[in-house]
Every structure is written in C-alpha cells, then in structure tokens.
Amino acid sequence: ALKKAPKDMVQIPDPIGQVWAPPEITVSEAYDQVLTEGLENFVRGLGVQYTRKTMSGAVWGKTGDKTGNITIRVGAPEGVLMHEIGHALNTLFGLYARIAKTLRTPEFEGDKSALGEFKKLAELRYQGQVPDAQFKKYVQTHDEQIANLVHGYLYAPELTRKTAPRAYDALDELVLSEPDLEPLGDLQQMRSLVIGQRDAQQKLPGPMLLGRY
C-alpha cells in the first residue's frame, strides 16, 4: 500500500479507489551494539524501568524525577541514554549533592572555581550554536549539570577531564569506590565496530490517504 501508483493508473471518482496507509509504520535504528547493550544492562541493574519507544517532537529521552525510570526515543544516539543515566543516578544517589560537597573539600581546593567547572562543561552543550536564553538557563540547572557530567564522563572523557578536571576526578572517585557505580568505568571504555539494528512500530497521527487509483 505504500508503493506509488503506476503512471498509467487514473483516479476513480469513488471511495472504492481510495488507498490508505497502514495505521503503523516501521521505524528502524542502528547503534553500537556492544556499547548500547552495556548501557542498557547497567540501567536494568539499577532496578529502574527502561523503555525504548517512538516519540515525537524535540524530546529524545526522559527520566522520572522520583523513580529514575528511563524512557529513550527509538533512533536516539547512545549519548542520549548516557545523559539520562546521569539523571537516574542523581535521583537514586543524590549525585550532584555528593560531588558538590566533595568539590568544597581541601582535596579539591574548595573554591568556587571548582563548582564553576559544572558551568563550563554545560556550556559545551551548545558549542558552535546560538541558543536562546531559556536553553542557556536550562542547561545550568543542577540536574542538567550532573547529567551532562555523567554524559561527558562516558562519551568524551578526555574533553570532560580537560574542561572540568576536579568535577571529573570527583565523579571518578565515586565510580572507583561505589559498587553501584563501578560499571561506569567499564562503560567508559566500551566501544565496538558491531552495528546492531532493531525495529519499532510507530502509530501514524491519523488516517493517511496515499492516493486514489
């Protein structure tokens, strides 16, 4: 039904000639299979619900404020899941408060510039772009700052260490000392050349007329 009508076909002035699209279409995604499965297994190990589903609009992932449950949009890159893992860890373990407390200790020089590293790292979310004031404010909330740190720790560790060395070290210290966070160290190194593929069904917003022939 999704194929185009042959050129020699003519319109029939009767509903019997109407061809409608099926109510759902197949959406495919490709991903680093080893990395994605590692991230998904880590999420499930936290005891939170994990769902991949088709979504619309600008939302690529979301995490429950109270539950830590993660929902990822089909087709989202691995970095989206890394970011949402940061939100979940903040919900479950109070990650921002713990790292902020560490950055105030003498070991990390205890000055405001250490906490300021969160801001510098968050600004990289719109590097080379011209965001509006609302987005600039949004990425600087504590919840977004810590999710961004976890994302950077997993996806771009060298850049994150260069931009926010003390925040990176504080998180790394927790990863090395907390059994629940220890897998993050392995995930940081987990990359592969294995391309996985899977499909999902997405409902159309309403009836779609393909043609009359």
Side-chain angles (χ1 to χ4, degrees):
L2 292 178
K3 294 182 179 179
K4 291 184 178 180
K7 293 182 179 180
D8 58 346
M9 292 289 184
V10 296
Q11 179 175 331
I12 300 175
D14 190 285
I16 195 174
Q18 294 178 348
V19 179
W20 297 88
E24 295 182 340
I25 59 174
T26 300
V27 178
S28 300
E29 62 176 349
Y31 52 93
D32 181 328
Q33 185 169 325
V34 174
L35 172 60
T36 299
E37 289 180 355
L39 292 168
E40 292 176 342
N41 289 336
F42 173 70
V43 170
R44 296 186 181 101
L46 294 174
V48 301
Q49 293 181 12
Y50 171 71
T51 306
R52 294 187 75 86
K53 61 185 292 186
T54 55
M55 303 164 67
S56 59
V59 178
W60 286 93
K62 56 185 179 181
T63 301
D65 293 336
K66 297 181 179 180
T67 62
N69 294 340
I70 294 176
T71 302
I72 297 294
R73 182 175 179 173
V74 170
E78 294 88 353
V80 174
L81 179 52
M82 294 174 180
H83 185 89
E84 296 306 322
I85 285 174
H87 284 304
L89 294 179
N90 195 40
T91 297
L92 298 174
F93 303 108
L95 205 58
Y96 179 87
R98 295 175 66 180
I99 290 180
K101 182 178 180 181
T102 300
L103 293 179
R104 295 188 182 100
T105 63
E107 179 184 359
F108 290 91
E109 301 179 19
D111 56 33
K112 292 183 179 180
S113 64
L115 286 173
E117 291 180 356
F118 279 116
K119 180 179 179 180
K120 291 180 180 179
L121 190 64
E123 289 172 349
L124 294 182
R125 290 184 63 178
Y126 50 83
Q127 185 178 22
Q129 302 176 4
V130 185
D132 58 28
Q134 183 178 0
F135 185 74
K136 286 184 176 181
K137 183 178 180 180
Y138 167 72
V139 300
Q140 296 298 346
T141 60
H142 291 173
D143 198 38
E144 286 300 313
Q145 285 181 342
I146 194 62
N148 191 53
L149 176 62
V150 173
H151 181 187
Y153 180 88
L154 292 172
Y155 186 75
E158 294 303 322
L159 176 62
T160 302
R161 186 186 288 115
K162 178 181 179 181
T163 307
R166 289 168 288 188
Y168 179 96
D169 287 344
L171 175 56
D172 195 48
E173 186 176 272
L174 285 177
V175 170
L176 294 174
S177 61
E178 295 271 349
D180 289 328
L181 302 180
E182 187 176 357
L184 293 178
D186 295 328
L187 290 169
Q188 189 185 64
Q189 307 297 325
M190 196 175 291
R191 301 290 187 275
S192 81
L193 301 178
V194 182
I195 303 299
Q197 180 177 331
R198 54 190 169 190
D199 298 330
Q201 297 302 117
Q202 180 171 4
K203 292 184 178 180
L204 295 175
M208 181 176 292
L209 180 63
L210 298 178
R212 299 178 176 85
Y213 44 85

